[in-house]
Amino acid sequence: MAAEIHSRPQTSRPVLLNKIEGHSDSVNAAVLIPKEDGVITVSEDRTIRVWLKRDSGQYWPSIYHTVSSPCSCMSYHHDSRRIFIGQDNGAVVVTHQNRVSDMVFSLESEWVVSTGHDKSVSWMCTQSGSMLGRHYFTSWASCLQYDHETQHAFIGDYSGQITLLKLERQTYSTITTLKGHEGSIGALWWDPVQRLLFSGASDHSVIMWDIGGRKGRTLLLQGHHERVQAVRYLQLTRQLVSCSADGGITVWNMDTPREEAPQWLDSDSCQKCEQPFFWNIKQMWDTKTLGLRQHHCRKCGKAVCGKCSSKRSTYPIMGFEFPVRVCDACFDTIKEEDRTPLATFHEGKHNIAHMDMDPSRGLMVTCGSDRIVKIWDMTQVVGCSLATGFSPR
């Protein structure tokens, strides 16, 4: 695989190449057509459109198809020229009882795996048209990734959990459940090479789960002000691109040593000054003092009072790109070079509900509830131009 790696000056930004308008409602998914100047979109306005670039430089719909209910998601396989559409009424190749939230087509197994607001994940055979299996959750299943080689499915849900299933014909097994987010899962991305799973959620954070390491290692990344709704890992350059509902586009440098954020410790009193917290009635009575509110230092994880954690600092090596609470002792240990950002931040200037990338051309497409589709040149931002094709899922 040939590649040209460019330097990434801090002033580099995504370059808006084209803006596609024409949908009358939210655009729920948009994918770039590999090796062509084209984009496929599906929308709440019940249309599926294939936009091709004309000589004028503008994109016009060469295919325009209307279906029976709003289109919620899609899976496009370029080599086989097949596209699968999920709809608001649960229609996909296999029927859900409610809106289809995400779907993946696997050419290797000839399966379509889909999740829905009926709190289920289902998989079916596209050759026979038969349902192979279904698993139910306790909350809406919101997003999905699938490993074609191992037949493992990662399903995020509205409770903030990610469930790992091993899918078989007519059966399945639950491998594990990943818990770390404090809000509903909005996006997943699986990298089968390094066996890393990335998740974005409504708690404004991204988590990297080291599935291949088998040691439970997780990295917390906080660099958004709104719900994270799209993530994509670029394996060649070791960069992660994440997008949020407010239009924020963050590019994370994952090719650098990072530390896991500590678990928050439990205590009935400040672990620095030993003053009681407000629920520690006995110590409050014994010392004749008022109880204090509990906080936590993001660097050491200790339970501290407000007086002992009056400072704020970024700490990018732990994923804290914005200032967070740290205890006074930890603040004194953070050097200026420790505050050097490990991510760059950009503004898409529209709601981003879905994102797709073509690393071979350094292109990204975003879409959302504002009914606008934007095509971006990301070459100088991600610093990579691959001399190979790429097929989105």
Side-chain angles (χ1 to χ4, degrees):
M1 180 183 292
E4 182 181 356
I5 309 299
H6 305 281
S7 61
R8 297 188 293 274
Q10 292 296 312
T11 56
S12 295
R13 301 177 184 275
V15 177
L16 180 61
L17 299 178
N18 291 93
K19 185 165 65 172
I20 299 175
E21 299 177 285
H23 282 285
S24 60
D25 209 332
S26 301
V27 183
N28 290 322
V31 297
L32 295 159
I33 303 176
K35 305 176 184 178
E36 298 181 26
D37 287 325
V39 177
I40 304 174
T41 60
V42 297
S43 170
E44 289 287 329
D45 64 11
R46 301 186 295 119
T47 65
I48 306 160
R49 310 188 194 196
V50 179
W51 307 78
L52 297 180
K53 190 176 182 179
R54 303 294 178 86
D55 292 338
S56 63
Q58 299 299 311
Y59 283 79
W60 293 88
S62 62
I63 298 177
Y64 184 112
H65 182 65
T66 302
V67 293
S68 60
S69 69
C71 302
S72 54
C73 58
M74 71 169 152
S75 181
Y76 172 64
H77 190 273
H78 180 67
D79 292 338
S80 63
R81 297 287 178 169
R82 282 190 272 184
I83 182 171
F84 297 86
I85 308 297
Q87 293 181 249
D88 196 56
N89 62 5
V92 61
V93 181
V94 59
T95 301
H96 283 267
Q97 297 301 312
N98 209 319
R99 183 182 179 91
V100 181
S101 55
D102 205 355
M103 58 194 308
V104 174
F105 168 65
S106 172
L107 182 65
E108 291 83 351
S109 58
E110 285 289 345
W111 288 3
V112 169
V113 186
S114 59
T115 55
H117 288 183
D118 58 359
K119 304 180 181 180
S120 78
V121 56
S122 64
W123 54 105
M124 61 87 62
C125 177
T126 58
Q127 292 178 321
S128 64
S130 61
M131 168 83 78
L132 300 178
R134 187 187 296 270
H135 172 75
Y136 282 95
F137 304 93
T138 58
S139 60
W140 284 358
S142 53
C143 50
L144 164 73
Q145 284 285 279
Y146 180 71
D147 186 285
H148 307 279
E149 181 178 348
T150 64
Q151 296 183 182
H152 285 142
F154 303 88
I155 301 99
D157 63 38
Y158 270 68
S159 74
Q161 296 185 163
I162 302 168
T163 304
L164 172 55
L165 300 177
K166 168 70 173 179
L167 306 185
E168 305 280 0
R169 299 185 73 91
Q170 309 301 329
T171 187
Y172 68 92
S173 56
T174 302
I175 306 300
T176 189
T177 301
L178 306 176
K179 300 178 181 179
H181 284 289
E182 297 180 357
S184 59
I185 310 298
L188 293 173
W189 182 266
W190 169 246
D191 175 52
V193 178
Q194 292 188 270
R195 302 192 66 77
L196 300 174
L197 179 70
F198 297 89
S199 58
S202 62
D203 59 8
H204 310 173
S205 71
V206 177
I207 295 180
M208 186 202 82
W209 311 83
D210 188 359
I211 304 298
R214 299 181 180 274
K215 294 182 180 179
R217 180 170 178 260
T218 61
L219 294 178
L220 175 66
L221 305 173
Q222 293 189 339
H224 286 280
H225 296 290
E226 255 293 348
R227 175 186 176 91
V228 180
Q229 302 194 126
V231 291
R232 172 67 190 270
Y233 181 63
L234 305 177
Q235 199 275 332
L236 183 67
T237 57
R238 303 294 197 273
Q239 289 172 287
L240 175 71
V241 181
S242 56
C243 302
S244 53
D246 60 357
I249 302 170
T250 303
V251 181
W252 307 85
N253 178 11
M254 304 303 294
D255 192 26
T256 186
R258 289 182 177 271
E259 298 177 6
E260 289 188 72
Q263 294 291 323
W264 286 3
L265 301 178
D266 292 326
S267 179
D268 291 330
S269 58
C270 176
Q271 293 180 301
K272 294 296 182 178
C273 68
E274 299 184 351
Q275 289 294 304
F277 293 131
F278 64 84
W279 60 84
N280 189 348
I281 305 298
K282 184 179 185 305
Q283 187 178 348
M284 289 167 55
W285 178 265
D286 292 343
T287 59
K288 301 297 189 293
T289 58
L290 292 175
L292 304 176
R293 182 181 176 186
Q294 178 183 258
H295 302 282
H296 284 91
C297 173
R298 301 312 193 266
K299 187 175 185 293
C300 68
K302 289 184 177 180
V304 291
C305 67
K307 184 178 179 181
C308 293
S309 59
S310 60
K311 307 291 180 60
R312 304 291 184 273
S313 176
T314 62
Y315 198 54
I317 197 171
M318 279 189 182
F320 300 117
E321 294 287 342
F322 301 151
V324 292
R325 180 185 296 272
V326 293
C327 67
D328 294 351
C330 284
F331 183 86
D332 292 337
T333 67
I334 300 175
K335 301 176 182 178
E336 195 58 37
E337 54 265 32
D338 295 333
R339 297 185 174 92
T340 302
L342 297 178
T344 58
F345 306 93
H346 313 280
E347 183 55 59
K349 296 183 179 180
H350 80 137
N351 170 263
I352 299 178
H354 185 271
M355 171 265 287
D356 182 44
M357 295 190 71
D358 184 347
S360 65
R361 294 178 289 173
L363 296 178
M364 179 175 75
V365 60
T366 58
C367 62
S369 60
D370 60 358
R371 302 174 292 179
I372 295 175
V373 179
K374 292 186 177 182
I375 302 174
W376 305 86
D377 180 355
M378 297 289 288
T379 304
Q380 293 303 313
V381 180
V382 299
C384 176
S385 178
L386 301 181
T388 182
F390 166 76
S391 296
R393 64 185 176 95

